[in-house]
């Protein structure tokens, strides 16, 4: 009979984002998905970094709180907030709001705060980090921005530009320590956290 004590802990991605799920699948490890029910509204006077970190941790803790008593899992929470000139930029939701976002960001440098939390429901330990990506947008005319939005409809992405798709044509430069952070889940930071939590990342297949 298999020794359950030697099994790696269950991994749970606390997110409704298909982009984060696709990124986590790159690691080729088993995981479940649970959608946390939390209010993602920024608090008054809260910095973008603080917002992203707070929400990433809140998502992970909310999913962990719903686990059965005694069940150990590593719960992954993540959140992304974009900002320029002190303005926080979230998911636009509509074409009109997305166009306004891109108009405001053209020719500017935008910071994307991609926060990550790994919460161990067994020990109560939480690891959290904010990975910052600097993105410089090209100064494109309204017609080009409108055409992009209609082609890719990135209305569920903070900043209205999908760098992994046609949105790369809107960007002049990207600076980051983690190339996956801008897409929504910093895998370099995540693998570091999983290894620190004792997860046998390169042994589980």
């Amino acid at each position: 009979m298999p020794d359950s004590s030697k099994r790696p802990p269950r991994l749970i991605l606390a997110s409704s984002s298909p982009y984060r799920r696709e990124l986590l699948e790159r690691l080729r490890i088993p995981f479940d998905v649970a959608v946390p029910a939390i209010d993602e509204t920024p608090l008054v006077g809260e910095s973008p970094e603080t917002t992203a970190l707070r929400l990433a941790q809140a998502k992970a803790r909310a999913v962990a709180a719903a686990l059965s008593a005694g069940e150990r899992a590593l719960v992954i929470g993540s959140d992304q907030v974009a900002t320029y000139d002190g303005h926080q930029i979230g998911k636009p939701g509509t074409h009109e709001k997305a166009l306004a976002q891109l108009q405001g960001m053209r020719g500017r440098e935008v910071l994307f705060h991609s926060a990550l939390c790994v919460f161990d429901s067994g020990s109560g330990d939480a690891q959290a980090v904010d990975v910052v990506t600097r993105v410089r947008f090209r100064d494109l005319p309204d017609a080009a921005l409108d055409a992009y939005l209609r082609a890719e409809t990135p209305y569920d992405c903070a900043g209205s530009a999908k760098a992994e798709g046609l949105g790369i044509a809107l960007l002049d430069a990207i600076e980051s320590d983690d190339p996956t952070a801008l897409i929504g889940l910093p895998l370099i930071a995540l693998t570091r956290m999983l290894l620190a939590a004792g997860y046998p990342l390169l042994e589980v297949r």
Side-chain angles (χ1 to χ4, degrees):
M1 187 173 181
D3 184 354
S4 60
S5 66
K6 294 183 179 180
R7 293 176 185 168
R10 179 185 176 196
L11 286 186
I12 305 175
L13 176 63
S15 177
S16 62
S17 168
Y19 313 113
R20 291 191 179 111
R21 180 170 185 163
E22 289 170 5
L23 283 168
L24 188 52
E25 287 174 346
R26 294 185 186 182
L27 300 184
R28 302 183 183 184
I29 51 178
F31 67 93
D32 298 314
V33 175
V35 180
I38 66 165
D39 182 356
E40 298 189 30
T41 306
L43 301 179
V44 176
E46 192 173 44
S47 70
E49 176 183 2
T50 302
T51 298
L53 282 167
R54 176 177 61 82
L55 293 178
Q57 294 182 67
K59 291 174 182 178
R61 290 177 182 275
V63 168
L67 296 175
S68 302
E71 180 180 5
R72 187 195 176 201
L74 297 178
V75 187
I76 302 164
S78 187
D79 192 77
Q80 188 178 75
V81 177
T83 181
Y84 72 92
D85 292 348
H87 301 292
Q88 286 199 32
I89 310 163
K91 300 173 184 177
T94 67
H95 181 89
E96 291 72 24
K97 290 180 180 179
L99 181 58
Q101 283 187 355
L102 293 180
Q103 288 170 332
M105 295 186 297
R106 60 185 164 195
R108 296 175 179 267
E109 181 179 82
V110 179
L111 299 183
F112 285 80
H113 293 269
S114 302
L116 177 68
C117 174
V118 173
F119 181 77
D120 188 332
S121 68
S123 65
D125 292 336
Q127 302 177 68
V129 67
D130 172 41
V131 180
V132 179
T133 304
R134 296 179 179 272
V135 178
R136 188 165 63 249
F137 280 74
R138 290 176 172 148
D139 190 357
L140 298 173
D142 287 352
L145 301 180
D146 183 78
Y148 162 70
L149 292 174
R150 295 187 185 282
E152 198 153 60
T153 61
Y155 307 136
D156 59 347
C157 299
S160 306
K162 293 170 66 175
E164 68 274 28
L166 180 58
I168 199 71
L170 307 182
L171 311 182
D172 201 43
I174 299 174
E175 297 178 22
S176 179
D177 293 331
D178 194 328
T180 56
L182 185 58
I183 307 174
L185 190 66
L187 292 182
I188 291 177
L190 176 59
T191 53
R192 183 187 306 121
M193 290 178 173
L194 291 177
L195 290 169
Y199 190 87
L201 187 63
L202 299 176
E203 301 170 27
V204 180
R205 289 294 173 268

